[in-house]
Amino acid sequence: MKVLIIGAAGMIGRKLTDAILRDQVIGDRRVEALHLADVIAPVPPASDSVKITTSTTDLTDPAAARALTVWRPEVIFHLAAVVSGQAETDLDLGLTVNLDGTRNILDAIRQTGEGYCPRFVFTSSLAVFGTPLPDVIPDDFAPNPRTSYGAQKLIGEILVSDFSRRGLLDGISLRLPTICIRPGAPNAAASGFFSGILREPLAGLPAALPVDPETRHWFAGPRGAVGLLLHAASVDTAPLGHRRALNLPGISATVADQIAALERVAGPRAVALIRPEPDPLVRDIVSAWPRAFAPDRALSMGFTAETSFDEIIAAHIEDELGGSLPLHDVP
């Protein structure tokens, strides 16, 4: 099987790549070739058994999108996007990358023709929902985005469903929980502080908290997110019908819950590194996002993620900090 990852240089793209190369199968099919594409040149890991190729690709160029489908990958992961904060402050950039880029890769698949119908896994977002929201969102709750990013992702979902209805691809849109803890440097996502208030103190660094501690949200860790993506690449999509977008399992937690988990693991000195720095823009964006889901459709199809922030923090320490905390953070 041939697999394409668009947005492969990003955090989730890199972790997805590593998982595919570790297992060398998706579902019950062996991965023989993997192409990594991004606007930043992906760094290919070494592999003796999977053929790896890379390209520096800008999906806003239709010709570049077509170049990704000529080798007819059976599975395509579309992870590339401008994140929420950028898409809200720069409408043109969000439209160009999140909307035009998605349209271009979908058109490239359609134009490949000759019975080509790949599994297309599209990373959508909880931002397709907006206020007023129930405390727990059921599967039949209507999307109503309150940000440009959410609107762009919802349009992508609709296109994936329509192309699937037409038999042009076998698509599934994943409304991923906010991914926490993201390793590496902070990004421009409005949700970035959810990771920062854990990642920085675990490394002995200060972190800014722009919202009230009682702010509640829906989360999964990087390991959980990769598992959700891989399951989507092989799951039977027949139960989805023409409703190809899925709310996914996750953890409903407040910022205070996150901080309590941090204290259990790293002690009060780590918590003391978090300083309140109110940010009205971030507060307004995040306040319009969901707090909890009842993702019955996804659960019935076998999707799973983490079940506690203690689990997420433990995975971060193992994967990103060599399995232990800096001595000054040990409680």
Side-chain angles (χ1 to χ4, degrees):
M1 177 170 61
K2 296 181 289 187
V3 177
L4 167 64
I5 302 177
I6 305 169
M11 184 273 291
I12 293 296
R14 296 193 304 273
K15 289 185 176 292
L16 177 61
T17 297
D18 290 343
I20 291 172
L21 294 179
R22 180 190 66 235
D23 299 338
Q24 299 181 21
V25 295
I26 294 179
D28 59 359
R29 299 187 62 188
R30 180 174 178 79
V31 177
E32 298 171 346
L34 177 63
H35 186 81
L36 310 176
D38 209 319
V39 290
I40 301 170
V43 177
S47 177
D48 295 328
S49 53
V50 178
K51 180 182 179 182
I52 303 174
T53 54
T54 67
S55 63
T56 305
T57 300
D58 184 350
L59 279 191
T60 63
D61 177 2
R66 288 193 296 272
L68 293 177
T69 62
V70 294
W71 69 301
R72 302 170 75 90
E74 288 101 324
V75 174
I76 299 175
F77 294 98
H78 179 30
L79 315 179
V82 168
V83 294
S84 53
Q86 283 179 294
E88 190 64 18
T89 58
D90 190 337
L91 178 60
D92 288 332
L93 179 63
L95 288 171
T96 300
V97 176
N98 296 343
L99 184 54
D100 296 343
T102 299
R103 167 72 187 277
N104 286 341
I105 189 62
L106 293 174
D107 274 343
I109 293 169
R110 175 168 64 96
Q111 293 162 10
T112 301
E114 297 180 11
Y116 180 53
C117 186
R119 173 63 57 89
F120 186 82
V121 181
F122 174 59
T123 51
S124 186
S125 169
L126 304 185
V128 301
F129 297 103
T131 53
L133 293 168
D135 288 338
V136 179
I137 295 176
D139 284 326
D140 59 358
F141 190 76
N144 186 27
R146 288 290 187 267
T147 63
S148 296
Y149 176 75
Q152 292 150 15
K153 286 295 188 179
L154 180 58
I155 294 169
E157 288 184 6
I158 294 169
L159 290 173
V160 169
S161 292
D162 189 50
F163 276 49
S164 297
R165 177 186 64 84
R166 288 178 168 272
L168 301 170
L169 50 80
D170 182 11
I172 183 168
S173 298
L174 302 182
R175 293 168 178 162
L176 287 173
T178 289
I179 307 306
C180 181
I181 305 166
R182 286 182 171 270
N187 63 19
S191 60
F193 75 90
F194 285 122
S195 289
I197 61 172
L198 301 177
R199 179 185 59 234
E200 270 66 77
L202 286 169
L205 301 172
L209 175 59
V211 302
D212 187 271
E214 295 310 309
T215 300
R216 180 175 291 276
H217 195 48
W218 189 246
F219 301 95
R223 286 187 186 180
V226 168
L228 293 167
L229 288 164
L230 289 172
H231 189 64
S234 62
V235 70
D236 179 10
T237 55
L240 293 174
H242 298 314
R243 295 172 57 206
R244 292 294 179 121
L246 273 179
N247 302 334
L248 296 173
I251 302 167
S252 178
T254 65
V255 168
D257 293 332
Q258 291 184 269
I259 294 172
L262 174 66
E263 184 165 11
R264 285 193 294 272
V265 174
R269 284 177 293 178
V271 172
L273 292 168
I274 302 171
R275 57 182 187 273
E277 290 187 7
D279 185 321
L281 176 61
V282 172
R283 180 200 61 212
D284 291 347
I285 291 175
V286 173
S287 67
W289 288 351
R291 297 178 290 276
F293 286 84
D296 296 332
R297 294 176 75 214
L299 290 170
S300 71
M301 296 173 67
F303 286 90
T304 60
E306 294 91 350
T307 58
S308 72
F309 254 100
D310 297 72
E311 181 182 353
I312 287 176
I313 292 173
H316 178 80
I317 293 171
E318 181 177 346
D319 294 345
E320 310 298 336
L321 300 178
S324 63
L325 292 173
L327 288 177
H328 56 273
D329 281 334
V330 175

